[in-house]
């Protein structure tokens, strides 16, 4: 699958309703990978935009009740138009409001891909995880948490961490690519949600495979960025990571990807 080549050829539009911390990084990351970002929040226009986008990202990082209403409006329009919807439930489990708003979106919008750290996804299925602010991990098995989330919300669930688990509840992939420095740059989880959106836009029928490709490409870019900046530090790493996203090609990814496929039942 020459997926990065397809990305640059199709240049999918990703409508991002994301948080105020990561907006610029997300837009630049999408441009780097070959997609086209648009950030839009107003109730008056979100449905129109979501319906013509290649994918819609809902990220609750700096949520308000009004914004959630806007997200639901956009999500419903995307559903009607057959546009894939990605949800990042940032900080779910840290406060009741975040957990409840994430569950409200999941109840009212058909979410195609749910992406979060272990603690966030665990909190949505009522399993205990550790969430401190927007950082979280799961004490149990990420495979089990992701499978249960995928089945409960009828979606592809992605639990990220040292090893990323991607599942539709039956098939599962584990991606070992990535670098711990990704956790030292704010917004790397959020940008990954947007990048999954860009990949999903290429073929809605193959969301599990394309989400796995997105996660692998992302991890490979991080590894290459670390090679360049290990002696410098995370500021340089952040820039090198954007550089690597823009220079990544299918050959490099097929050489460096560490992806294991299995079943998750
Ligand atoms: P948190 O807010 O807890 O940092 P997040 O929403 O930022 O979570 P992460 O789990 O940090 O999301 O995932 C973002 C990216 O960082 C993913 O590509 C993931 O593979 C990578 N990643 C996270 N932790 C590690 C690690 N220990 N080693 C390698 N890669 C990692
Ligand atoms: N606070 C609210 S949203 C946000 C912070 C710090 C960004 C979280 O980004 P990520 O990608 O989950 O690390
Ligand atoms: Mg992070
Ligand atoms: Mg996050």
């Amino acid at each position: 699958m020459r997926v990065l080549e397809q990305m640059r050829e199709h240049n999918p539009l990703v409508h991002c309703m994301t948080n105020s911390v990561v907006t610029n990084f997300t837009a630049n990351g999408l441009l780097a990978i070959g997609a086209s970002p648009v950030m839009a929040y107003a109730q008056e226009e979100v449905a129109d935009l979501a319906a013509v986008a290649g994918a819609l990202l809902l990220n609750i990082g700096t949520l308000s009740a009004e914004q959630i209403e806007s997200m639901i409006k956009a999500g419903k329009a995307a559903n009607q138009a057959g546009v894939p919807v990605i949800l990042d439930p940032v900080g779910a489990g840290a406060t009741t409001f975040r957990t409840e708003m994430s569950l409200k979106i999941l109840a009212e919008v058909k979410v195609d891909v749910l992406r979060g750290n272990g603690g966030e996804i665990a909190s949505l299925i009522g399993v205990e995880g550790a969430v401190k602010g927007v950082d979280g991990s799961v004490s149990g098995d990420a495979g089990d948490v992701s499978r249960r989330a995928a089945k409960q919300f009828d979606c592809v669930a992605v639990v990220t961490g040292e090893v990323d688990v991607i599942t539709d509840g039956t098939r599962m992939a584990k991606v070992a690519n990535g670098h711990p420095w990704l956790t030292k740059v704010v917004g790397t989880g959020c940008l990954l949600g947007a990048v999954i959106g860009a990949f999903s836009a290429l073929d809605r029928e193959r969301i599990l495979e394309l989400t796995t490709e997105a996660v692998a490409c992302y991890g490979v870019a991080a590894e290459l960025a670390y090679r360049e900046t290990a002696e410098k530090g995370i500021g340089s790493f952040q820039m090198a990571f954007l550089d690597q996203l823009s220079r990544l090609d299918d050959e490099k990814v097929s050489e460096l990807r560490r992806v294991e496929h299995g079943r998750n039942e």
Side-chain angles (χ1 to χ4, degrees), residues 19 21-22 61-62 90 98 115 134-135 185-191:
N19 67 75
V21 182
V22 305
T62 46
V90 181
R98 284 173 188 261
R115 199 278 342 154
V134 297
D135 293 329
V185 174
V186 75
T188 55
C190 300
L191 171 58

Side-chain angles (χ1 to χ4, degrees), residues 115 117 134-136 160-162 164 178-180 182-183 188-189 192 218:
R115 199 278 342 154
N117 61 50
V134 297
D135 293 329
T160 52
E162 187 177 350
D164 307 305
H179 192 275
L182 282 172
T183 66
T188 55
L192 176 57
Y218 202 81

Side-chain angles (χ1 to χ4, degrees), residues 60 63-65 68 72 96-106:
I60 70 157
L63 77 176
S64 66
I68 297 295
I72 289 172
T96 307
F97 184 51
R98 284 173 188 261
T99 310
E100 284 179 353
M101 290 302 109
S102 303
L103 291 172
K104 184 174 160 74
I105 293 172
L106 284 160

